[in-house]
Structures are given as C-alpha cells and as structure tokens.
Amino acid sequence: MLLHLQKSDMKFCSECAHPVSLKIPPDDSHLRFVCDRCHTIHYQNPKVVVGSIPVWDQEGKIKILLCRRAIEPRYGYWTLPAGFMENGETTSQAAMRETREESGANIELHELFSLLNVPHVDQVHLFYRATLLDLNYLAGTESLEVALFSESEIPWDEIAFLTSYHTLKFFFSEATSPETVTPSRLYCHDILRPLNLKNL
Amino acid sequence: MLLHLQKSDMKFCSECAHPVSLKIPPDDSHLRFVCDRCHTIHYQNPKVVVGSIPVWDQEGKIKILLCRRAIEPRYGYWTLPAGFMENGETTSQAAMRETREESGANIELHELFSLLNVPHVDQVHLFYRATLLDLNYLAGTESLEVALFSESEIPWDEIAFLTSYHTLKFFFSEATSPETVTPSRLYCHDILRPLNLKNL
C-alpha cells in the first residue's frame, strides 16, 4: 500500500507556470488554487485506495494474506494488499493489480466488502473479498514479506492502517469458516480522527 | 452534477514552474508527469462523484427527485443530484452536500446503493439511497429545474449520464413501493465504453 501523502499545496500553474493564489472562484464554495494569469482553476479531490482480502481455505480454517510494508509510512507494519487506484482502470482492476504487485498472489475477486472514508488524508478505501487460488505468493518491491494468518495469529497491534484493521475485524465478525465468508452487506465506516500516527 | 472534464495533461511543474516530461519513474509501472528540474512526480488519479437517490412516498407510490442540468456537459438533460467529492469530507457528507446544492432538497441519507466505474473519464460514481423529507426543494445554480418522477414518468431518453440511468434502473428493479425500497445488496457496474456522447 503505497500511501505517499501527496502535497496538496501548489505554487505554480501547471498550464502556464505563473504563480497561483488560493481563492474561492465565482459560483464556488471551496478554496481553490487559481492561476492569476490564465485563470485556470486547479481542483484537488480525494484519492481512492483499493485492495483485497485474500482468503485461503486451510483445511476448513480461514487464513488471510497480509503484506509487511517495505516503505514509509508504517514501514514494517502489516496491511491488506492495497494501493492507489490509477486513471483508466476500474475499482476491481485496481484491487487485482495492487494485490499482484504487493503480494504476487493469484486471486479470484468477489464482491466489494468494505468502504472506509479517511477524510483527514483525503482518501476513500475500498476492499474486495477474494479467494487466494494457490500458495505461489511472493513479496513485491513494496513488501518485506507476505504471510498467511488465522484470526488469532493476526498481529493486531502491528496493523499499518485503521482501514485494514477495521476491514479485518468486520470480516471476522461474520466469517468463522470458509463456508461463511459470503457477507450479507457492504461494511461502511468513517475514520474521522487520526491517532497520534501520521497518515494512519 | 458538475462534470467538467479536468485536463489530465500538465505542462509545468506546480512546485518549481519548470517544464515537465511524461516518463515512467523508477520502481513505477505507469507514465507520470515528472519535473525535469526538481524531480517531483505529479500523480493523477480517478475522481469520486457522489450523489443520492431522493425517494418521495406519494400516497404509497415511489417518486424520485431529478435535476435538469443548467451546465455542460449534457445541458438540459436529467440527472440524479451528484457531484465531485471534495477533500476533507466523507462520501456520505459529499452526497448530502451535492444533493442540497443542486436540488435544495432536505434528505435523510441511507445506505450506499450503487458503485459505477467510468474508467474512460477516470471516475468512480457512488449513489446513496435517501428519503426526501419534504417538498421544499429548489433548483440550485447548476440546475434548470428539479422535479419528482414515478418510474413511468422518468424521461429515460433524456438522462444525462449512464451512471444515473443504471442506478435508476437498478433501483426500480427492486423497489416497487416505498415499503420495498430497502435493497439487499450493493449494485456495482462498470461502464467500459463511451457512447458517441462526450463524457457520458
């Protein structure tokens, strides 16, 4: 999960290189960066982070694939495979791509399981339920290691982000065996207050 | 629904005003605008459009509030109230704000009803089910008029965007009376091919 906080301020117009000012344009209600020369309005909007919950059926017991982060923020902490959605792709394509990039896992993607708002970092996180198809996973460049965990084995104190933490908690609140993993609803949750950890 | 297609190209670095180049940064797989002087990578990501399905119970019959667009694209066509999510807000806050701005409607927001990917314009659309609380709605600056429609009254050939169209079709596939509007699932749909209409 490459969660580089992108700087939300801008100094120069990307259209004409003139300095920009922060102002509320006519018929608008929000402060925007506006070019003082060519008058381009530079809108900034939340980003979508998409990932998966890769489920492995180990003799009737649920195991989940987690990645240990090889990058900041939260280097060394564990997360569900996820990352920023790219232009030109769908949310499910993004979930497949990020899972493959970070964990090398071959998955079958199922329904959208959770939607979590993180307004203090201008992000919306989406996690899809998935079936891990084999054990040929391999840590990508953004992961130190990739491993399977049962509910009791998950390092709950070492989860990188509250979005992964809540998604895992929601998942195990319903799924007790591989036969009960089909959820009856979409889990939505707003993370309205940062803890004392940057960008959690 | 303010769907100004934002230009996805950039000419100058917003950090240092130097010209940018399109290249794949190290450890990346996508083309990015990269500053040739300060080396800032300017990521561009999909935008989230959020709206609502305002339901009015007219003597046991469902009516939906639609807005007729006063702006391009799709001037004069009808849409569910929706617009771009802003930094610092949650998806449900965005749905409330956009509904109020475009229709003046007082609504109670319920669960997320639909998620629609529109990858050819780099957008994800989300619609929440809502109850219209009174008839004190009023067209905002982006709407020519606002009106209530039963399923048979909806101007199906004059709906501005496929995301509104599909969401309305999904909604009426389940909801036949105000008592049956609680859906059993989230509707997901990918709009993979533009019609011969720009930005539909």
Side-chain angles (χ1 to χ4, degrees):
Chain A
M1 188 185 287
L2 180 62
L3 280 179
H4 45 76
L5 245 196
Q6 293 175 30
K7 287 182 80 170
S8 62
D9 58 327
M10 72 184 296
K11 302 187 184 99
F12 301 97
C13 177
S14 53
E15 282 294 304
C16 79
H18 196 266
V20 293
S21 302
L22 206 51
K23 59 180 72 165
I24 299 177
D27 292 329
D28 201 336
S29 54
H30 288 71
L31 279 169
R32 315 283 183 191
F33 287 105
V34 180
C35 179
D36 296 319
R37 181 164 61 191
C38 75
H39 310 297
T40 298
I41 303 169
H42 298 280
Y43 295 93
Q44 295 179 322
N45 300 89
K47 295 190 195 312
V48 183
V49 171
V50 192
S52 75
I53 312 163
V55 177
W56 176 250
D57 177 353
Q58 188 159 317
E59 296 167 355
K61 194 170 183 185
I62 290 173
K63 293 232 175 185
I64 305 284
L65 195 72
L66 298 180
C67 305
R68 199 153 75 89
R69 290 173 59 79
I71 50 172
E72 294 292 350
R74 307 294 275 160
Y75 179 99
Y77 285 75
W78 292 89
T79 178
L80 288 165
F84 284 109
M85 185 181 178
E86 298 280 358
N87 279 352
E89 67 184 3
T90 66
T91 46
S92 53
Q93 288 169 342
M96 293 286 289
R97 179 184 51 72
E98 286 290 344
T99 301
R100 196 163 39 243
E101 285 178 8
E102 300 195 353
S103 71
N106 297 310
I107 59 167
E108 181 188 349
L109 211 68
H110 306 300
E111 78 290 333
L112 184 64
F113 179 82
S114 63
L115 181 153
L116 305 104
N117 283 285
V118 200
H120 60 275
V121 290
D122 306 322
Q123 292 175 2
V124 181
H125 290 219
L126 304 174
F127 289 93
Y128 282 82
R129 189 172 64 84
T131 298
L132 186 61
L133 297 177
D134 57 53
L135 295 176
N136 299 325
Y137 50 80
L138 188 70
T141 55
E142 295 176 12
S143 304
L144 296 170
E145 58 179 315
V146 180
L148 287 171
F149 297 91
S150 68
E151 182 177 8
S152 62
E153 291 167 342
I154 287 175
W156 292 104
D157 296 337
E158 295 169 42
I159 300 295
F161 304 104
L162 282 174
T163 53
S164 279
Y165 180 90
H166 286 297
T167 295
L168 287 165
K169 287 289 185 186
F170 290 144
F171 184 80
F172 281 111
S173 73
E174 282 202 11
T176 51
S177 77
E179 284 71 44
T180 61
V181 295
T182 305
S184 56
R185 48 169 286 206
L186 172 76
Y187 284 87
C188 294
H189 185 69
D190 297 338
I191 297 169
L192 296 179
R193 202 168 282 278
L195 298 189
N196 55 354
L197 287 159
K198 265 174 62 180
N199 198 22
L200 190 68
Chain B
M1 187 186 283
L2 180 60
L3 281 181
H4 44 76
L5 245 196
Q6 293 176 30
K7 287 182 77 169
S8 62
D9 58 328
M10 72 184 296
K11 301 186 183 101
F12 301 97
C13 177
S14 53
E15 281 295 303
C16 78
H18 196 267
V20 292
S21 302
L22 206 52
K23 58 180 76 166
I24 299 177
D27 291 331
D28 202 336
S29 55
H30 287 71
L31 280 169
R32 316 283 183 189
F33 288 105
V34 180
C35 179
D36 296 318
R37 180 165 62 193
C38 76
H39 309 299
T40 298
I41 302 169
H42 298 280
Y43 295 94
Q44 294 178 323
N45 301 88
K47 296 192 195 311
V48 183
V49 171
V50 192
S52 75
I53 311 161
V55 176
W56 178 250
D57 177 354
Q58 189 159 312
E59 296 167 356
K61 194 170 183 186
I62 291 174
K63 295 233 175 185
I64 305 284
L65 195 72
L66 298 180
C67 304
R68 199 153 76 89
R69 291 172 60 79
I71 50 172
E72 294 292 349
R74 306 293 277 158
Y75 179 99
Y77 286 73
W78 292 89
T79 178
L80 288 165
F84 285 109
M85 185 180 178
E86 297 280 358
N87 279 350
E89 68 184 1
T90 66
T91 47
S92 52
Q93 288 169 343
M96 294 285 289
R97 178 183 52 72
E98 286 290 344
T99 302
R100 197 163 37 243
E101 284 178 9
E102 299 195 354
S103 70
N106 297 311
I107 59 167
E108 182 187 348
L109 212 67
H110 306 300
E111 78 290 332
L112 184 64
F113 178 81
S114 63
L115 180 153
L116 305 104
N117 282 286
V118 201
H120 60 276
V121 289
D122 306 322
Q123 292 176 1
V124 180
H125 290 220
L126 304 173
F127 289 93
Y128 283 82
R129 190 172 62 85
T131 298
L132 185 61
L133 298 176
D134 57 53
L135 296 176
N136 300 323
Y137 51 80
L138 189 70
T141 54
E142 295 176 12
S143 303
L144 295 170
E145 58 179 315
V146 179
L148 286 172
F149 298 91
S150 68
E151 182 177 8
S152 62
E153 293 166 342
I154 287 176
W156 293 104
D157 295 336
E158 296 170 41
I159 299 296
F161 304 104
L162 282 175
T163 53
S164 279
Y165 180 90
H166 286 297
T167 295
L168 288 165
K169 286 289 184 186
F170 289 145
F171 184 81
F172 282 112
S173 72
E174 283 202 10
T176 51
S177 77
E179 283 72 43
T180 60
V181 295
T182 306
S184 57
R185 48 169 286 207
L186 173 75
Y187 284 87
C188 293
H189 186 68
D190 297 339
I191 296 168
L192 295 180
R193 204 169 282 275
L195 298 190
N196 56 354
L197 288 159
K198 264 175 63 180
N199 198 22
L200 189 69

